[in-house]
Amino acid sequence: QVKFVESGGGSVQTGGSLRLSCVASGYRYNLHCMGWFRQAPGKEREGVATIDGDGTTSYTASVKGRFTISQDNDKKTLYLQMNALKPDDSAMYYCAGTPLLGVDCTSEILTASMADWGKGTLVTISS
């Protein structure tokens, strides 16, 4: 069973930076598509960024130019560098991954693939 453990969240002021990490374990096949999601209180979970096996990335419009997704395959770790943080970025952040091949690496595919989400890491941005 694949397990995801997120870390790196915290409380910072507007304009600050944080770097989130996610360690995935327990998977038999490589996770060819991985991504970050977030969920703010009272809102639905939304996709933030994805990265596929070729290193191609995509971002939701609200974080483009501020967030960077990356991965270290040797350490089996996914990262999210978040700069120029805004209060609207406050949320619980989760990571996800799937070994599926032959599909576009999208938040929708990741959401459909995830059976058990991790506990997430909380990001709070104060104005």
Side-chain angles (χ1 to χ4, degrees):
Q1 182 177 359
V2 181
K3 181 180 179 181
F4 298 93
V5 179
E6 303 90 349
S7 63
S11 298
V12 298
Q13 292 185 329
T14 297
S17 298
L18 286 171
R19 189 193 195 202
L20 307 185
S21 299
C22 169
V23 177
S25 62
Y27 51 91
R28 182 176 298 179
Y29 305 103
N30 289 335
L31 299 176
H32 297 288
C33 173
M34 296 194 74
W36 286 97
F37 292 74
R38 66 186 180 186
Q39 187 169 19
K43 295 186 177 181
E44 293 186 356
R45 181 162 46 213
E46 66 167 341
V48 175
T50 62
I51 185 168
D52 68 14
D54 295 326
T56 300
T57 59
S58 67
Y59 300 89
T60 191
S62 62
V63 308
K64 281 183 180 178
R66 300 188 298 121
F67 290 11
T68 303
I69 187 172
S70 62
Q71 59 188 9
D72 184 327
N73 290 326
D74 290 338
K75 295 182 180 179
K76 298 180 180 179
T77 303
L78 183 71
Y79 301 101
L80 185 67
Q81 177 68 43
M82 306 188 297
N83 299 326
L85 284 161
K86 306 174 182 179
D88 285 348
D89 296 319
S90 297
M92 190 71 80
Y93 282 71
Y94 304 87
C95 68
T98 177
L100 288 177
L101 287 171
V103 297
D104 291 335
C105 184
T106 65
S107 296
E108 290 74 19
I109 289 294
L110 285 169
T111 299
S113 300
M114 288 291 289
D116 295 301
W117 293 82
K119 294 182 178 180
T121 185
L122 184 62
V123 172
T124 304
I125 312 303
S126 58
S127 58

